[in-house]
Amino acid sequence: MENVPGDIESEDPEVAEIRRKIRYLVDERPENDPEVIEALKYISTFYTENTEESLKNLETTLKERGQMLDEEEAKAYKAVKDILDRMNIGAKGMGKHMDEVTDLLQKAKSDSTDIIAKAKKLQFEVDKVAKQQEIIAALIETFTLTDEETAILQGSSKDAPITEEFFSVLDRAQEIHNNCQQLLKLGMQTLALDIMQDMTSVQEAALERIYRWMQTQCRHVENEQLIPLLVKSMSKLQARPVLFKYILDEYCTNRRSTIVSAFIDALTLGKGQGSDSNPIEMHANDPKRYVGDILAWLHQAIPVEKENLLVLLKLCDKTNMTDQIDQALSTITEGLCHPLKSRIEHIVAVEAPSTVLYSVTTLIRYYRATLKPIMHDSVLDRMFGDLLDLSEKSFVSRLQRETRTALGERAEPPANDLVPSPSVSRLLSLLNEVLSVASIAEDREKDMLQIVSCIIDPLLQEVNETASRLPTVDMAVYLLNCMHQIHSTLALYEYMDQRLERLQAQSDAQIDTLTSEQASSLVAHLNLGPIYTILQGKDQGPLSTIPGMDPLSIKEFTNKLDTFLVMPDVLLLPQISLLQSSVHRSSTQRRAFEVIGAIYKQLYEACHDPRNQYQNPGALFTHTPDQLSKALLEH
């Protein structure tokens, strides 16, 4: 084996080549080569026997078969070549035709370019015409009414009702009219003016139709279904002030007739304001209720008319409607003046008590104040003012007559007990009745002062006249009793402060008179007159040496004073006990006692003055001035 390489180098080259191939085949593992496997499969189709002869003929056979395969391949290539030749000839012919077609296409392209340009031009014209048609259609739609809309405005007949659609179309007509301003800005004056003229004619015809319809329908303002249409109609008529005024006047006339009829029915039949009450005039014999029911009916009816007007004109905003509403309401309610005035005047003219007349007055005043913000300066409001003046004058006149009647033709003299005369009690009772009504009325201060003046002033005049015929003490007591009764009555009511102050001042003056009389009586009964006169003198020398001021006289006085202190009522004026007011009695006594106390104090101090040369002055007096004052005040 070691000699193999050398052997290989020395052996025949052909054998070496074969050996190399075999070694290659062994190393390459032909069973893993798909081509080798395929070749072996091919050889196996004709190499069926593995003999030496077959092996020798294998190469030849392979060559023959290779030649045969080459021939077949040549035939196949020849067929392909024939086909390719024919295709070449056809391609040359097709190329020629393609050149012809290309020439035709170039010519067609040139022709189609002109056609396309013309088509584009025509399409541009078509688009332009279409846009113009759209513009015209939009212009017609924007600036003209349709036949259906025109028919709605004109109505199917002269008396055709107006509907919501009518106002929608009328608003559109106004919108078209307003939009013409844009056309004017764009320079289309002729077109804009023609359209505006057409719309103006349409609107005029529509407003005429509204006017005719409102003439018959404005009286139905209480119909809830018609209210929206009536409101819109009045709003549209604002554009024609004359027609607007005519319709408003027509409405006022209709409502005036309606409310007057309702008022008369309420008075006589008991109808009105949704009630089935009895007729108001059934209570004519009760002035207060009668007038109250009448005014209460007005208080219900008039605000309703005001509300109806506000609803009817709520869309009228081109001008301030306040004055027109006030004037319309004045016109509507003016018809109530005559039936109301005649009845109130009749009640006022009846000989009713002053309390009843005052109740009527307060009712008129209250309802006038309540309705005034609604009616303002209306005819009815002015008539209310006249009725109020008439009622107030009638009340004052009646009160003055009742006062004179209560006083009588001649002043009644007081009885022996000096109590106020019956006329005083009657007038104060009348005053109580009237003031009890006035105290709950509005603006009562003025009324109450006037009522008091109407009654108290004549009463005081008669009391003073009666008292002037009496003695001084009787006069003072009688006046104090009368003023006390008057004061007690007035003190129950407000706004009487000044009157009470005047009465108190007059009472104080009479108390001063009565005090003076009582003090003079006490001074006389206690023999204080001479003593008081001497005490008022000057430069008389020692008082003990003056007759009447000697110790014996002083002691006699103090003894009487002690007796008086035991039974003070013995020396009081009998008229003092007739004073009805305990305050007046105590005030008169106290002030009279203060006079005695003051004289007593002056005498006590004079007797204790050494200059008057009294021996043992303490034996002359049993009380000091303070003790005396205390003892007097205890009574």
Side-chain angles (χ1 to χ4, degrees):
M1 292 298 296
E2 296 177 354
N3 294 325
V4 171
D7 294 339
I8 293 175
E9 292 178 357
S10 62
E11 64 182 352
D12 187 13
E14 293 180 359
V15 175
E17 178 66 21
I18 292 171
R19 187 183 298 278
R20 187 184 62 79
K21 290 180 179 179
I22 292 171
R23 184 174 295 174
Y24 173 78
L25 290 174
V26 172
D27 292 337
E28 290 294 324
R29 301 185 65 85
E31 66 272 14
N32 295 330
D33 190 347
E35 293 181 358
V36 174
I37 298 300
E38 188 68 26
L40 291 175
K41 287 181 178 180
Y42 177 75
I43 292 173
S44 64
T45 57
F46 60 86
Y47 189 74
T48 60
E49 297 180 356
N50 191 13
T51 62
E52 183 179 355
E53 186 178 357
S54 298
L55 185 60
K56 287 180 181 181
N57 293 330
L58 178 61
E59 182 178 359
T60 303
T61 303
L62 291 173
K63 288 181 180 180
E64 288 177 355
R65 284 186 173 275
Q67 186 177 1
M68 185 177 62
L69 292 173
D70 290 338
E71 289 177 356
E72 291 177 357
E73 183 177 3
K75 288 180 182 179
Y77 276 119
K78 182 179 179 182
V80 171
K81 180 178 179 298
D82 292 340
I83 293 172
L84 291 174
D85 290 340
R86 287 195 298 271
M87 290 179 63
N88 185 37
I89 294 171
K92 289 181 179 179
M94 186 178 294
K96 182 178 180 180
H97 287 298
M98 289 297 294
D99 291 338
E100 293 176 356
V101 171
T102 301
D103 293 338
L104 291 175
L105 288 175
Q106 290 294 332
K107 183 178 179 181
K109 181 178 180 180
S110 177
D111 294 339
S112 64
T113 301
D114 295 338
I115 293 173
I116 290 172
K118 292 179 181 179
K120 288 182 177 179
K121 183 176 181 181
L122 290 174
Q123 184 63 41
F124 176 77
E125 294 294 331
V126 169
D127 293 342
K128 182 178 179 181
V129 171
K131 288 183 179 180
Q132 289 177 345
Q133 289 178 340
E134 291 178 359
I135 292 172
I136 293 172
L139 188 66
I140 292 173
E141 181 181 358
T142 304
F143 291 97
T144 60
L145 297 175
T146 64
D147 293 341
E148 182 181 355
E149 290 174 333
T150 303
I152 290 173
L153 283 183
Q154 292 176 350
S156 58
S157 64
K158 183 177 180 180
D159 298 327
I162 289 179
T163 63
E164 290 287 350
E165 292 180 344
F166 176 88
F167 294 103
S168 299
V169 176
L170 186 56
D171 289 339
R172 172 161 165 70
Q174 182 61 45
E175 182 182 359
I176 292 173
H177 191 280
N178 295 337
N179 290 339
C180 289
Q181 299 297 327
Q182 299 297 326
L183 296 179
L184 291 174
K185 292 180 181 179
L186 295 175
M188 304 178 185
Q189 284 83 359
T190 302
L191 176 61
L193 293 176
D194 289 343
I195 295 175
M196 291 174 70
Q197 185 175 359
D198 291 342
M199 291 302 104
T200 299
S201 300
V202 168
Q203 288 175 299
E204 287 290 345
L207 291 176
E208 287 290 339
R209 186 181 170 200
I210 290 176
Y211 172 71
R212 292 193 303 271
W213 183 76
M214 283 292 290
Q215 282 182 310
T216 59
Q217 300 298 326
C218 66
R219 71 191 63 186
H220 303 305
V221 70
E222 295 175 352
N223 186 336
E224 294 184 358
Q225 296 180 348
L226 283 179
I227 286 177
L229 301 178
L230 296 176
V231 171
K232 290 182 179 180
S233 297
M234 293 303 293
S235 175
K236 297 302 180 184
L237 287 176
Q238 283 185 110
R240 301 296 180 269
V242 174
L243 298 182
F244 180 86
K245 184 177 183 304
Y246 285 161
I247 292 300
L248 190 58
D249 291 344
E250 182 73 19
Y251 170 82
C252 292
T253 300
N254 290 328
R255 291 309 303 171
R256 174 175 173 171
S257 175
T258 300
I259 195 173
V260 170
S261 298
F263 183 48
I264 298 301
D265 288 344
L267 290 171
T268 58
L269 302 177
K271 301 178 180 179
Q273 297 304 312
S275 65
D276 295 326
S277 59
N278 294 324
I280 295 176
E281 291 190 344
M282 180 178 290
H283 306 289
N285 58 339
D286 183 355
K288 183 178 178 181
R289 179 173 180 179
Y290 181 54
V291 174
D293 289 347
I294 290 175
L295 298 181
W297 190 93
L298 295 178
H299 182 254
Q300 289 180 328
I302 293 175
V304 171
E305 294 300 326
K306 178 69 173 285
E307 184 64 26
N308 288 342
L309 276 171
L310 292 175
V311 170
L312 184 65
L313 303 178
K314 67 180 180 180
L315 296 182
C316 299
D317 53 2
K318 293 185 178 181
T319 59
N320 187 355
M321 299 301 298
T322 303
D323 293 340
Q324 294 191 54
I325 291 174
D326 291 343
Q327 181 60 41
L329 186 61
S330 176
T331 302
I332 293 171
T333 57
E334 185 177 356
L336 299 171
C337 292
H338 177 69
L340 175 63
K341 184 178 181 181
S342 61
R343 284 162 175 79
I344 299 295
E345 286 179 343
H346 175 72
I347 291 298
V348 170
V350 172
E351 290 294 327
S354 58
T355 52
V356 173
L357 290 178
Y358 184 74
S359 297
V360 171
T361 301
T362 56
L363 284 172
I364 297 174
R365 180 183 297 145
Y366 169 76
Y367 281 104
R368 185 197 184 194
T370 303
L371 294 173
K372 192 174 184 63
I374 301 174
M375 299 187 300
H376 299 295
D377 188 25
S378 64
V379 176
L380 183 60
D381 179 60
R382 291 193 293 271
M383 191 211 69
F384 262 111
D386 296 339
L387 290 177
L388 181 59
D389 292 340
L390 176 63
S391 179
E392 289 176 345
K393 292 177 181 178
S394 297
F395 161 67
V396 172
S397 176
R398 180 60 183 171
L399 185 61
Q400 289 173 344
R401 287 200 305 271
E402 290 181 356
T403 301
R404 288 193 298 269
T405 301
L407 291 175
E409 296 181 0
R410 297 178 59 184
E412 300 179 42
N416 294 331
D417 55 4
L418 298 179
V419 297
S421 61
S423 60
V424 176
S425 300
R426 288 195 297 269
L427 283 179
L428 292 180
S429 176
L430 174 63
L431 181 64
N432 269 323
E433 292 178 8
V434 181
L435 288 182
S436 63
V437 178
S439 61
I440 60 175
E442 295 184 1
D443 299 328
R444 55 185 175 273
E445 180 177 1
K446 178 183 176 182
D447 290 348
M448 293 176 71
L449 294 177
Q450 184 181 28
I451 292 168
V452 170
S453 179
C454 286
I455 295 178
I456 298 300
D457 289 347
L459 176 58
L460 288 176
Q461 183 178 355
E462 183 189 72
V463 167
N464 288 323
E465 181 181 349
T466 301
S468 65
R469 304 190 188 102
L470 300 175
T472 302
V473 177
D474 291 351
M475 177 186 69
V477 172
Y478 179 71
L479 288 176
L480 283 172
N481 286 338
C482 291
M483 290 177 188
H484 169 68
Q485 194 166 345
I486 295 172
H487 190 282
S488 299
T489 301
L490 296 181
L492 300 175
Y493 303 99
E494 54 186 344
Y495 312 122
M496 299 291 117
D497 295 342
Q498 292 185 357
R499 177 69 68 170
L500 292 174
E501 288 177 2
R502 291 200 296 270
L503 285 174
Q504 187 61 49
Q506 295 175 15
S507 297
D508 290 342
Q510 299 306 319
I511 290 175
D512 289 341
T513 300
L514 196 57
T515 298
S516 177
E517 293 295 328
Q518 178 64 72
S520 300
S521 176
L522 290 175
V523 168
H525 282 88
L526 295 174
N527 293 327
L528 270 177
I531 296 175
Y532 179 71
T533 302
I534 294 171
L535 289 175
Q536 301 306 312
K538 296 181 180 180
D539 301 330
Q540 304 177 82
L543 294 180
S544 60
T545 62
I546 299 175
M549 289 297 290
D550 55 277
L552 183 59
S553 298
I554 297 299
K555 188 61 177 175
E556 183 182 354
F557 160 70
T558 56
N559 290 335
K560 288 183 179 181
L561 184 61
D562 290 339
T563 302
F564 170 70
L565 291 176
V566 175
M567 292 185 298
D569 293 341
V570 174
L571 297 183
L572 290 179
L573 294 175
Q575 293 89 338
I576 298 297
S577 62
L578 300 179
L579 287 171
Q580 293 182 332
S581 171
S582 60
V583 175
H584 290 168
R585 287 197 303 271
S586 61
S587 177
T588 302
Q589 293 176 13
R590 177 178 51 77
R591 292 165 67 176
F593 291 162
E594 286 175 354
V595 173
I596 301 302
I599 298 174
Y600 181 81
K601 181 179 181 181
Q602 190 176 0
L603 177 62
Y604 184 86
E605 291 176 351
C607 290
H608 283 75
D609 188 349
R611 292 177 297 176
N612 291 320
Q613 301 177 3
Y614 284 99
Q615 300 296 325
N616 193 14
L620 299 177
F621 300 95
T622 57
H623 303 283
T624 65
D626 292 337
Q627 291 173 342
L628 178 66
S629 297
K630 183 178 180 181
L632 289 173
L633 294 176
E634 289 177 353
H635 292 286

